[in-house]
Amino acid sequence: DIMEDKILNFLGLAARAGKVVSGEFSVEKLIKANKAKLVLVALDASDPTKKLFKDKSTYYQVPMYVYGDKDSLGHAIGKQARASVGVSDHGFAMALIKLLEQ
């Protein structure tokens, strides 16, 4: 639907601005460095992946949402399928959270 496209389009903008990392290792690193402002995990990510990011996000107090699927997340940021993406910019993260909460 339209809402979903808005979120994925915005994620694409953030990616083009260089404010997105993707893939388990990079996103985890971003969280541990206290640079992650938002973490998105695909609905079709594995349960261990979801648990890993839920635990890390809770511990480091990073907002985390399960959203989209691996293909749509990867496609949004111009890459192959991605189970997780991290946003490192406060402005982009706030705008995305606002959309996600609607």
Side-chain angles (χ1 to χ4, degrees):
D1 64 0
I2 302 298
M3 214 59 237
E4 181 168 14
D5 291 349
K6 237 184 201 170
I7 290 166
L8 294 174
N9 285 340
F10 212 83
L11 195 58
L13 283 177
R16 286 192 288 285
K19 304 297 183 189
V20 172
V21 300
S22 64
E24 199 162 303
F25 180 75
S26 302
V27 177
E28 201 179 339
K29 217 167 91 177
L30 192 73
I31 295 170
K32 286 179 174 167
N34 284 313
K35 292 192 174 121
K37 308 293 180 214
L38 169 67
V39 173
L40 289 177
V41 179
L43 287 161
D44 58 350
S46 69
D47 288 337
T49 297
K50 285 181 187 156
K51 184 180 178 342
L52 170 84
F53 286 114
K54 191 171 177 10
D55 293 348
K56 292 267 178 259
S57 298
T58 303
Y59 183 80
Y60 288 94
Q61 296 179 313
V62 180
M64 183 202 122
Y65 292 84
V66 176
Y67 184 82
D69 56 28
K70 292 192 272 199
D71 286 333
S72 62
L73 286 181
H75 183 73
I77 59 169
K79 297 198 186 297
Q80 297 294 322
R82 289 289 189 270
S84 56
V85 292
V87 179
S88 61
D89 178 82
H90 183 74
F92 278 119
M94 289 298 108
L96 279 161
I97 288 166
K98 208 173 146 185
L99 290 171
L100 286 157
E101 293 288 350
Q102 280 175 4

